[in-house]
């Protein structure tokens, strides 16, 4: 590599060390992403996940950024079903329904039964439209009979009108929720519409209430399709859950990498074992934020060159900084940084604030050496 370019790179790295915030410049986003990827690789290497000597083997699989594959939705494949017997939905005007508020006299009840018997005969003769008309008359005479609705529903099934059949079956089951025929006919009608899972549920209910061979035959056709749909749904629910877990893990790793970059930037703002001079309120905020991110105790010491007690405590403050290298020791000259002194309402010096997680937890006013060292030992731990 050209020596002049190496020198430029070294200069840039030095600038980053002295002022870590420049890494957030949008024009340097590519470099920040590179730093995050280095931290990500280092974490994986510590866990035995990546051989850094052969990074090209992992260049796509281990990046902290999301891949296009993770952003794309899972495309479900079609389910191969046996759709024999499935018909187009009937969209005819709704059939006549009875008025449940009508008083049903004995004469009406008898007349309705007569119409039903006519319908049974018509069904046996294959005259389904006639049977439908007889059952409609029976329903109008006695709208409280669930069996009339269920029987007309069975005629609609024979006429390949599943929606009409379902409408009648719903009416029958509203009158009598335990009517096996209502569930049976509705299940058969739903199967004609390809509603396999709903059909299976209805037929199983009918089977529990009053099993017959027709229900068993219908279930043999419906159940395989219903099981295929259920297995298909479970498969893709599992795939989506796995995708979500993978996405969350990648996001966690990326956030961890970003946090480590931020922590490195924060740590580079400190001078372990040394006292840091502060000249503005923005500097104070920067150091306090960095200390919060790294869970460090901060001591903010306000002093002045003309202050006698300050000259007594300053050497101790410097020696304590060397002793407690993981504590952030800040020093503010109130004459040089009047805005900082005003912000902290300083009325006398020396004043020392103890700050943890962005909050003042204690302070010492005056040149109390023993109190200063005692409080540092208390809060640094």
């Amino acid at each position: 590599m050209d020596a002049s370019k190496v020198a430029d790179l070294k200069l840039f790295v030095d600038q980053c060390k002295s002022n870590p915030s420049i890494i957030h410049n949008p024009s340097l986003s590519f470099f920040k992403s590179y730093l995050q990827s280095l931290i990500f690789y280092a974490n994986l290497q510590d866990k035995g996940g990546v051989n850094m000597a052969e990074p090209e083997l992992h260049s796509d699989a281990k990046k902290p950024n999301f891949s296009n594959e993770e952003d794309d939705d899972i495309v479900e494949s079609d389910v191969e079903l046996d759709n024999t017997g499935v018909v187009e939905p009937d969209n005819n005007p709704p059939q006549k329904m009875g008025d449940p508020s009508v008083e049903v006299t004995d004469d009406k009840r008898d007349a309705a039964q007569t119409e039903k018997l006519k319908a049974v005969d018509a069904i046996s003769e294959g005259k389904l439209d006639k049977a439908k008309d007889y059952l409609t008359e029976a329903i109008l005479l006695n709208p409280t009979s669930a069996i009339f609705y269920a029987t007309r529903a069975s005629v609609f099934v024979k006429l390949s009108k599943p929606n009409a059949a379902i409408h009648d079956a719903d009416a029958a089951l509203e009158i009598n929720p335990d009517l096996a025929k209502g569930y049976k006919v509705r299940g058969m009608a739903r199967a004609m519409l390809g509603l396999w899972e709903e059909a299976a549920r209805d037929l199983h209910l009918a089977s529990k209430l009053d099993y017959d061979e027709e229900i068993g035959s219908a279930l043999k056709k419906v159940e395989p399709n219903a099981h295929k749909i259920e297995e298909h749904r479970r498969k893709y629910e599992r795939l989506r859950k796995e995708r979500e877990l993978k996405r969350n893990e990648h996001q966690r790793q990326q956030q961890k990498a970003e946090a480590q970059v931020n922590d490195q930037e924060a740590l580079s703002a400190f001078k372990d074992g040394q006292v840091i001079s502060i000249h503005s309120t923005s500097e104070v905020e920067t150091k306090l934020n960095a200390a919060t991110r790294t869970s460090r105790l901060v001591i903010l010491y306000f002093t002045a060159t003309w202050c006698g007690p300050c000259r007594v405590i300053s050497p101790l403050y410097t020696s304590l900084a060397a002793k407690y290298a993981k504590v952030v020791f800040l020093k503010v000259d109130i004459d040089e940084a009047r805005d900082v002194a005003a912000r902290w309402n300083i009325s006398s010096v020396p004043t020392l604030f103890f700050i943890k997680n962005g909050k003042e937890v204690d302070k010492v006013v005056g040149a109390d050496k023993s109190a200063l060292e005692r409080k540092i030992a208390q809060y640094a731990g």
Side-chain angles (χ1 to χ4, degrees):
M1 187 173 180
D2 186 88
S4 62
K5 291 183 179 179
V6 173
D8 290 341
L9 179 60
K10 184 177 184 303
L11 178 61
F12 172 68
V13 172
D14 290 339
Q15 289 176 336
C16 289
K17 288 180 178 179
S18 61
N19 182 17
S21 63
I22 66 173
I23 201 67
H24 297 297
N25 189 308
S27 65
L28 295 174
S29 60
F30 71 94
F31 186 64
K32 183 175 180 180
S33 296
Y34 173 65
L35 291 179
Q36 290 172 344
S37 67
L38 288 181
I39 293 173
F40 183 81
Y41 279 128
N43 288 339
L44 290 176
Q45 187 181 26
D46 290 342
K47 297 175 184 177
V50 172
N51 181 356
M52 293 302 290
E54 299 176 347
E56 67 279 1
L57 297 179
H58 313 277
S59 59
D60 292 327
K62 303 298 183 180
K63 286 182 181 177
N65 294 323
F66 299 141
S67 67
N68 290 334
E69 179 188 352
E70 289 167 349
D71 290 334
D72 293 340
D73 258 348
I74 294 173
V75 179
E76 293 190 20
S77 60
D78 293 331
V79 186
E80 293 186 7
L81 302 172
D82 178 6
N83 287 316
T84 305
V86 174
V87 301
E88 289 294 323
D90 50 307
N91 295 310
N92 299 324
Q95 62 267 35
K96 290 182 181 180
M97 307 294 282
D99 181 358
S101 65
V102 170
E103 181 183 356
V104 181
T105 63
D106 289 342
D107 288 343
K108 285 185 176 181
R109 190 173 284 106
D110 291 342
Q113 189 63 29
T114 300
E115 295 298 321
K116 185 202 169 187
L117 293 174
K118 291 179 183 178
V120 171
D121 290 339
I123 292 170
S124 65
E125 295 170 3
K127 299 176 181 178
L128 298 178
D129 285 319
K130 272 285 186 186
K132 178 192 69 175
D133 293 339
Y134 289 136
L135 287 165
T136 299
E137 187 62 30
I139 288 168
L140 294 175
L141 288 166
N142 182 8
T144 64
S145 172
I147 196 65
F148 290 171
Y149 281 110
T151 304
R152 188 172 69 171
S154 68
V155 172
F156 279 125
V157 167
K158 295 178 186 295
L159 289 168
S160 295
K161 294 183 177 181
N163 280 329
I166 290 170
H167 190 43
D168 270 356
D170 286 343
L173 292 169
E174 187 174 347
I175 296 169
N176 181 4
D178 295 324
L179 183 65
K181 188 169 184 176
Y183 292 111
K184 169 185 169 180
V185 175
R186 190 171 69 181
M188 294 170 68
R190 284 173 165 173
M192 293 173 70
L193 292 171
L195 303 174
W196 304 111
E197 290 182 290
E198 295 89 336
R201 281 196 292 270
D202 277 342
L203 291 169
H204 277 296
L205 276 170
S207 177
K208 289 179 181 178
L209 291 167
D210 187 12
Y211 179 81
D212 63 32
E213 291 184 4
E214 193 175 18
I215 294 173
S217 177
L219 278 171
K220 286 180 182 178
K221 174 176 174 54
V222 167
E223 281 188 315
N225 284 342
H227 288 158
K228 285 181 182 179
I229 293 171
E230 184 179 8
E231 289 171 4
H232 179 84
R233 183 173 56 251
R234 286 179 177 174
K235 171 187 173 181
Y236 283 96
E237 284 176 354
R238 184 179 69 254
L239 288 174
R240 288 191 179 92
K241 185 175 181 180
E242 290 172 356
R243 171 68 61 85
E244 185 64 24
L245 290 172
K246 186 177 179 182
R247 183 183 284 116
N248 289 341
E249 175 60 18
H250 281 201
Q251 186 175 11
R252 190 186 68 80
Q253 290 288 354
Q254 189 171 23
Q255 290 172 345
K256 183 178 179 180
E258 290 174 354
Q260 288 179 325
V261 169
N262 291 335
D263 288 348
Q264 289 298 324
E265 292 174 358
L267 289 171
S268 67
F270 303 141
K271 299 175 182 177
D272 289 354
Q274 300 179 43
V275 176
I276 303 172
S277 295
I278 295 296
H279 306 285
S280 66
T281 53
S282 62
E283 281 187 85
V284 174
E285 293 304 318
T286 299
K287 302 301 182 188
L288 291 180
N289 289 337
T292 298
R293 287 204 302 270
T294 53
S295 301
R296 290 197 176 195
L297 171 67
V298 177
I299 304 173
L300 186 57
Y301 168 37
F302 288 90
T303 182
T305 55
W306 44 262
C307 169
C310 296
R311 287 194 290 272
V312 173
I313 205 167
S314 286
L316 174 62
Y317 193 68
T318 301
S319 65
L320 289 173
K323 180 178 179 181
Y324 295 95
K326 298 304 179 184
V327 175
V328 182
F329 288 79
L330 306 180
K331 182 172 73 172
V332 182
D333 188 313
I334 62 172
D335 294 319
E336 291 182 6
R338 294 179 182 275
D339 58 334
V340 182
R343 167 70 179 77
W344 287 82
N345 298 318
I346 300 303
S347 57
S348 64
V349 287
T351 297
L352 301 99
F353 292 96
F354 293 77
I355 304 158
K356 208 162 190 179
N357 296 323
K359 296 180 179 179
E360 178 187 335
V361 294
D362 211 333
K363 71 177 180 179
V364 172
V365 179
D368 190 338
K369 293 183 177 182
S370 60
L372 173 60
E373 188 157 11
R374 184 178 69 254
K375 289 180 186 295
I376 292 175
Q378 175 185 348
Y379 294 111

